Amino acid sequence: MPSRQISPQSFDEILSDLGDDPAIPDPHGIRKAPSSKSPSSAPHNQPNKNVNLEFLKGMDLTIQAQKIGGLLVICACLLGVCGGLYIVYESFISHTQLIAQSSQKEISALQKEFGLLREELEQGQDDLYDSFDKLEVSIHSFKENKPLSKPSDKPKALPHEGELSRWRYLGASQKGNFHQAFFHTGKQSEMFEKGSVVLGDWRLSHIEKEAATLIHPHGRTIVLKPSKSE
């Protein structure tokens, strides 16, 4: 094995790393006491601690950033919901106002119509009262001016009218152009041709199966019927 050249400083560092081993001699007294090891080891562990602290701080910041991001998302959702509710509310209010305005217009139109109907009703009522008043005045005037009714005089009987009304028609016969009627005067039977004078100014004007008609120049008529039809 070839020999290795070790400097005294390197040798001292090796002894320092080996620690208090009694089997290894320390002629120069370069071995350090145990209490001096902790200061030497501190600089070696300090970078690890700083790295851990920085890592923990980074993790904490990340967690906080995530929490803040979640809160921002929740706030944004709440703001969106509130905005949507506000839009719906405004739309509902606008729709309600439109309905109220339309209803108000309809109510106003109905009020106008009712007003016109009431005026027409009042006018008709006034006209009706005027008509009643006029009718009442007319009735009073009619009662006051009503002429006293006088019993109508019975028309005077014409000569032989009473006697002829007691005759009875017996029948008729016709031969050619001659049409004759038979009567019973209460005393005897008589026969007269159509158009002939029966008694006084009375003439036989019509001869029928059911009746015979006597007329007078003054417009009176006497209708005589058969005895069995009486």
Side-chain angles (χ1 to χ4, degrees), residues 24-75:
I24 299 173
D26 185 14
H28 301 287
I30 60 175
R31 186 179 295 167
K32 295 180 180 179
S35 59
S36 62
K37 278 179 89 175
S38 57
S40 63
S41 62
H44 295 284
N45 296 329
Q46 190 67 28
N48 293 330
K49 290 182 179 179
N50 293 333
V51 172
N52 292 332
L53 289 174
E54 290 178 357
F55 177 75
L56 292 175
K57 287 181 180 179
M59 290 291 293
D60 191 14
L61 291 174
T62 304
I63 294 172
Q64 290 180 358
Q66 291 177 355
K67 290 182 179 179
I68 293 172
L71 290 174
L72 290 175
V73 172
I74 293 172
C75 291

Side-chain angles (χ1 to χ4, degrees), residues 115-125 127:
L116 293 174
L117 287 175
R118 185 168 19 169
E119 290 179 359
E120 292 178 359
L121 217 70
E122 291 176 353
Q123 185 65 34
Q125 189 175 4
D127 295 340

Side-chain angles (χ1 to χ4, degrees), residues 201-226:
D201 294 330
W202 293 91
R203 290 179 179 274
L204 179 61
S205 62
H206 293 85
I207 299 174
E208 298 176 358
K209 183 179 180 181
E210 298 296 332
T213 304
L214 306 175
I215 63 171
H216 193 274
H218 290 172
R220 299 280 186 86
T221 59
I222 296 175
V223 178
L224 300 177
K225 297 180 179 181

Side-chain angles (χ1 to χ4, degrees), residues 82-224:
C82 292
L85 292 175
Y86 179 75
I87 292 171
V88 172
Y89 175 75
E90 287 294 328
S91 176
F92 175 75
I93 293 297
S94 300
H95 183 65
T96 305
Q97 289 177 351
L98 290 175
I99 293 175
Q101 290 176 359
S102 177
S103 300
Q104 187 65 33
K105 290 180 181 178
E106 292 179 358
I107 291 171
S108 300
L110 288 175
Q111 287 178 349
K112 289 181 181 179
E113 290 181 2
F114 283 140
L116 293 174
L117 287 175
R118 185 168 19 169
E119 290 179 359
E120 292 178 359
L121 217 70
E122 291 176 353
Q123 185 65 34
Q125 189 175 4
D126 293 338
D127 295 340
L128 191 61
Y129 286 150
D130 291 340
S131 299
F132 284 156
D133 293 338
K134 291 177 181 179
L135 185 62
E136 188 176 0
V137 171
S138 300
I139 291 173
H140 286 302
S141 300
F142 178 75
K143 286 182 178 179
E144 290 176 358
N145 299 327
K146 184 178 180 181
L148 297 175
S149 60
K150 294 181 180 181
S152 59
D153 296 334
K154 293 182 179 180
K156 293 181 180 181
L158 295 175
H160 308 293
E161 184 176 3
E163 183 180 355
L164 289 173
S165 63
R166 289 190 293 269
W167 284 19
R168 296 291 177 264
Y169 176 54
L170 299 178
S173 66
Q174 185 173 3
K175 292 181 180 179
N177 295 328
F178 296 99
H179 198 185
Q180 299 173 340
F182 298 93
F183 301 93
H184 193 278
T185 63
K187 295 179 181 180
Q188 59 184 2
S189 297
E190 296 284 346
M191 181 189 67
F192 298 96
E193 292 182 4
K194 182 179 180 181
S196 63
V197 177
V198 177
L199 187 63
D201 294 330
W202 293 91
R203 290 179 179 274
L204 179 61
S205 62
H206 293 85
I207 299 174
E208 298 176 358
K209 183 179 180 181
E210 298 296 332
T213 304
L214 306 175
I215 63 171
H216 193 274
H218 290 172
R220 299 280 186 86
T221 59
I222 296 175
V223 178
L224 300 177

